[in-house]
Amino acid sequence: MKLKALVVDDSRVMRNIVMQTLRHAKLAEFEFTEAEDGQDALAKLQSAKPEIVFCDWNMPRLTGIEFVRHVRSSSANDHIPIVMVTSEKSMGKIMDATDRAGADAYICKPFTAEELQQKLTKIIEGLGQRKPAGGFFSKLLGGS
Amino acid sequence: MLTTPCCNPLPTGFSDCVRDSVVSTFACIIGEDPLRESGPPDAAFDGMMGVISFVGTRPWSLLLGLPRSTAEKFAVRFVGFEMDFEGADMVDTVGELANIIAGDVTARLEGIDMHVQMGMPSVARGSHLEIALPDSVESFFQGFSTSDGPFWIRVATPRSDGSGVRRHLCPACGHEV
């Protein structure tokens, strides 16, 4: 069983880096879907039904922060953890994303597999607890 | 030196923020601190140029110049595999490098009370690339060297007095004065 993840970035190279580093972090086994901007991500949210989203900030059409606000205002998807993965590092932006818009974690580019482990372990564990017992996550977390 | 009054009309600390961002970003990506070079300003070159603009307290643009060989080596360090210099991934990579520097410098500038927002990066690729700035723009140049090759940045901002008087390059540091 795999964790469905949506990776949103207008840079194909950056999407690959995010997916590659997540694999190296070994937090879970992922099944990735890619989106090129916030608008594309909203569509893929319906079709791919991701369990977690990794989202850039500066993108054409619909930015990452607008995407987060959109998702959080919809009762159908407001439970999906959203991780901002962005080069925006200012405190104001971080607070905008996490405190005001409702992103669950904030990762600044460039990042390492260790940083992903540090910031995502709790979120991934939380997702595991939502899954039915005996599945991939209960094995991952040491359950029977 | 970059701090002499005739050569550095940008806010105090601004150029240091930019240079520190470049060094720390590339140190993280290529695993070594790029060394500042005191050589002459950028001449026309073959390679890639990433450009990103900022608006806020004072509008400005950051230009990142990567000779072809440096760009190819940095791309491997950043992405983990070799890529075609002529391909779309190389454009993506250089744009992303400019973007990451821009994010870092934006955060650092808050420390000197300069609040800016970064735009989307654009990238140029070609032979004999050169920068031609209008007279209404002032700029500074900084070259760097690494074991993967040289690269440079140029920062351009509107003249604070709004004048469009033709300037010349300071022979000591390469600033337009």
Side-chain angles (χ1 to χ4, degrees), chain A residues 9-14 16-17 20 56 58-60 87-93 109-112 115, chain B residues 25 28-29 78-81 83 89-90 92-93 96 99-100 102-104 106-107 110 117-120:
Chain A
D9 200 306
D10 55 326
S11 158
R12 193 175 79 93
V13 162
M14 207 60 229
N16 282 332
I17 290 174
Q20 186 179 302
D56 185 25
N58 293 309
M59 295 180 291
S87 55
E88 293 278 7
K89 289 183 173 176
S90 66
M91 278 314 295
K93 294 278 187 181
K109 301 172 187 173
F111 49 83
T112 62
E115 282 176 71
Chain B
T25 298
C28 196
I29 290 170
F78 185 49
V79 183
F81 55 84
M83 61 179 70
D89 281 353
M90 186 61 87
D92 232 13
T93 300
E96 200 56 48
N99 199 39
I100 291 172
D104 191 273
T106 299
E110 285 187 347
Q117 286 196 315
M118 54 199 250
M120 304 286 287

Side-chain angles (χ1 to χ4, degrees), chain A residues 92-112:
Chain A
K93 294 278 187 181
I94 294 172
M95 287 171 67
D96 276 350
T98 54
D99 296 355
R100 289 187 267 276
D104 297 86
Y106 199 97
I107 291 165
C108 293
K109 301 172 187 173
F111 49 83
T112 62

Side-chain angles (χ1 to χ4, degrees), chain A residues 2 20 24-25 32 34 65 74-75 92 107 114 120 123 140:
Chain A
K2 293 179 176 177
Q20 186 179 302
H24 286 165
F32 292 113
E34 299 176 50
I65 194 79
S74 136
S75 56
I107 291 165
E114 290 71 30
L120 300 179
I123 293 172
L140 184 77

Side-chain angles (χ1 to χ4, degrees), chain A residues 25-42:
Chain A
K26 296 188 190 307
L27 286 158
E29 198 178 341
F30 290 99
E31 179 185 317
F32 292 113
T33 300
E34 299 176 50
E36 293 182 354
D37 55 48
Q39 200 72 54
D40 189 21
L42 285 177

Side-chain angles (χ1 to χ4, degrees), chain B residues 80-152:
Chain B
F81 55 84
E82 287 186 15
M83 61 179 70
D84 178 14
F85 178 75
E86 305 292 341
D89 281 353
M90 186 61 87
V91 174
D92 232 13
T93 300
V94 174
E96 200 56 48
L97 289 174
N99 199 39
I100 291 172
I101 295 169
D104 191 273
V105 77
T106 299
R108 286 175 195 262
L109 289 176
E110 285 187 347
I112 59 167
D113 207 27
M114 186 172 172
H115 301 277
V116 295
Q117 286 196 315
M118 54 199 250
M120 304 286 287
S122 52
V123 176
R125 172 175 48 204
S127 300
H128 210 72
L129 285 172
E130 64 180 323
I131 300 166
L133 296 172
D135 288 339
S136 55
V137 167
E138 59 188 333
S139 73
F140 72 80
F141 168 87
Q142 177 68 58
F144 294 91
S145 65
T146 72
S147 59
D148 286 336
F151 71 97
W152 53 258

Side-chain angles (χ1 to χ4, degrees), chain A residues 4 11 14-15 30 39 46 51 58 64 70 76 95 97 116 130-131 133-135:
Chain A
K4 290 182 181 176
S11 158
M14 207 60 229
R15 293 198 300 272
F30 290 99
Q39 200 72 54
Q46 306 310 316
E51 292 152 288
N58 293 309
H70 212 285
M95 287 171 67
L116 294 188
R130 287 189 210 158
K131 292 263 180 179

Side-chain angles (χ1 to χ4, degrees), chain B residues 49-64:
Chain B
M49 190 156 53
V51 183
I52 192 158
S53 293
F54 302 79
V55 292
T57 308
R58 184 170 176 173
W60 62 286
S61 295
L62 172 72
L63 296 89
L64 170 69

